[in-house]
Amino acid sequence: MKILFHALALPLAFHFLSLAHAIPSPEAAHGGSAQATNTTDDAMTITPRQSSCLSTGTQSTINALFSSGGANTIVSLCPGVTIPITAPVVFTAPGQELSTQGYPTDSSRATILIQPGSTVTSAIRGNWQNNVKVLNIQVDGNQPNAGYFGGDALLEMACGRMGSITGATDGGIVIFGSPGSHILRNTITSSSSGLQFGGINMVDPTWSGNYSGVVVSSNTITGGPGSFINLGIGMGSQVWSNPHPETNFGQVTVTNNVFTGNVGFSIVMNGWLGGLTVTGNSVSGVTTPSSSFASASGCGAVQQAAFADSEQLVYYPAGVTGSSGPNVIQSQFTALSTNASNWLCLTNPAPPLPDTKSFLPNTLSVDASTSRVVSLRDFHVQVQGDGNVVGIDTTGGVWTVKWASSRFSSACGPDGSQCLLAFGIDGNFVMYDGNGPLWASGTDGSGQLLTFSREPPWVTVTGSNGQTLWTIGNL
Ligand SMILES: *[C@@H]1O[C@H](CO)[C@@H](O)[C@H](O)[C@H]1NC(C)=O
Ligand SMILES: *[C@@H]1O[C@H](CO)[C@@H](O)[C@H](O)[C@H]1NC(C)=O
Ligand SMILES: *[C@@H]1O[C@H](CO)[C@@H](O)[C@H](O)[C@H]1NC(C)=O
């Protein structure tokens, strides 16, 4: 039918519509010619078990097909096509399927591509429709162009078998409490930029946290390069950034998933009741150390310790108990002794500190109550409460004083605030204490730039031609 529609001219389209009019229905009876423009050929042709494929369209095309087709409608995308979307594809009835024709497993899988500039954070939504399937599809979050949006997951499925996902935005797949979902043979890849939260998440207590019969197997979750996945698979009410008092439950199988590249934590489990089988998952391809691609500085102590050890598989045994079935958990898991939640805490690593830092006149004024003058790479300069100004190398956590002004004062005040180091508006670099200037560079009228460096000569004042007027060694 689809082929007929594409091949045949408009008059025949009306002919088909007249056939539709023969079927008594309120829409058909009153649609008139206006309905012709709204009734797409695809809407006419895609029916359950239909064998032709959709070669072009947007989310509107697919959504119209699902809406009109009802339960068990299969929307089959032609191999190799890219469907640009500016809003989610939405399943509307049980048993609906979105797939690539012929179910290829290679790059000929059809791609759902989030359009640049759109604010879509979920590409496909199947919320609370039973037995929905997404098979052999690639979903591209188009992150570098579409930007980062907080909030949703790339695929939000109540129940379903997934295809393949690349460029997840916030979470790759969120399985809302939904018995019987199958998440099989997907590829979830973080995009080339942006913060990636989760790959597959079973953390929400929606539908009272019932995940009975969920199977998550043979998925590949890859972070980076240039980005990372914070958490590959999160299981339990105590894993997400907003832990819930409810405990998720159900006999769930998480097997033979492969984690590679920049993944902060591969599997974390806490807040689960009843029968987990978590075996055969591979983390050997994950980038180590984790600190090479992410920072845990915003995490709790437990997460920081696990991150520092590049622990990929962690669970809290007391938070993963089996009342309706046994737990079978692969031996590589690290058992936490603390009930730690919020594993979505990783951030991009702080940018490296500079080797030098310069100040124009009148832009530096630091007293000994603040102490820190500048922070450089493995190096900092501080004003001490005794008036001494020192440059300290901190490489490897070992503090080595590289230089010191060695001009001490007993007039810094009880909190040190009377000892003030300033590069004045006149270009003079001066150390004051409660009695007045303690020492100065003497570059008033000629000093243009004050530079601190982690290398000798450490501190310099330069003039208008960049010539060195003074260094800390001149003191
Ligand atoms: C056709 O679609 C337009 C835009 O969605 C809508 O305003 C109009 O009512 C539709 N016409 C019919 C006959 O459904
Ligand atoms: C959880 O879902 C399964 C499958 O639908 C069902 O058999 C079971 O009764 C549910 N459990 C609870 C406690 O609701
Ligand atoms: C872990 O902490 C959460 C939040 O306080 C709590 O709801 C949960 O019961 C705790 N888990 C265990 C096993 O004590």
Side-chain angles (χ1 to χ4, degrees), residues 31 34-35 37-38:
Q35 198 177 27
T37 55
N38 287 16

Side-chain angles (χ1 to χ4, degrees), residues 15-41:
H15 177 65
F16 273 89
L17 277 170
S18 66
L19 287 178
H21 286 182
I23 302 161
S25 84
E27 292 81 5
H30 300 106
S33 62
Q35 198 177 27
T37 55
N38 287 16
T39 308
T40 67
D41 46 2

Side-chain angles (χ1 to χ4, degrees), residues 237-238 243-247 270-271 316-321 339-341:
S237 56
Q238 302 305 313
H244 296 276
E246 301 90 342
T247 300
N270 186 8
Y316 178 52
V320 181
T321 52
N339 182 4
S341 61

Side-chain angles (χ1 to χ4, degrees), residues 357 359 363-368 370-376 379-384 388-391 403 419-423 429 431 450 452 459:
K357 186 163 173 52
F359 297 87
T363 61
L364 176 74
S365 175
V366 178
D367 67 47
T370 304
S371 180
R372 185 68 60 107
V373 181
V374 287
S375 296
L376 304 174
F379 197 95
H380 70 264
V381 177
Q382 64 188 37
V383 191
Q384 299 180 168
N388 200 11
V389 183
V390 291
W403 60 264
C419 279
L420 176 75
L421 186 67
F423 190 41
F429 182 41
M431 180 73 214
L450 168 68
F452 294 90
V459 188

Side-chain angles (χ1 to χ4, degrees), residues 231-313:
L231 174 58
I233 298 179
M235 303 166 67
S237 56
Q238 302 305 313
V239 170
W240 199 245
S241 48
N242 52 337
H244 296 276
E246 301 90 342
T247 300
N248 296 352
F249 65 93
Q251 293 189 8
V252 164
T253 302
V254 176
T255 53
N256 302 323
N257 299 287
V258 176
F259 302 85
T260 62
N262 299 345
V263 180
F265 302 108
S266 289
I267 303 179
V268 178
M269 306 188 293
N270 186 8
W272 202 276
L273 192 65
L276 288 177
T277 299
V278 183
T279 57
N281 300 288
S282 167
V283 298
S284 60
V286 168
T287 308
T288 54
S290 303
S291 58
S292 65
F293 59 84
S295 167
S297 59
C299 298
V302 176
Q303 292 87 342
Q304 287 199 19
F307 184 82
D309 290 344
S310 294
E311 284 170 0
Q312 288 292 319
L313 304 171

Side-chain angles (χ1 to χ4, degrees), residues 399-451:
W399 285 32
T400 309
V401 174
K402 291 294 189 179
W403 60 264
S405 66
S406 300
R407 305 287 182 88
F408 300 94
S409 169
S410 55
C412 289
D415 65 351
S417 61
Q418 300 295 301
C419 279
L420 176 75
L421 186 67
F423 190 41
I425 196 166
D426 59 355
N428 202 11
F429 182 41
V430 187
M431 180 73 214
Y432 302 89
D433 70 2
N435 300 322
L438 192 62
W439 55 261
S441 64
T443 51
D444 40 312
S446 57
Q448 298 289 323
L449 199 67
L450 168 68
T451 300

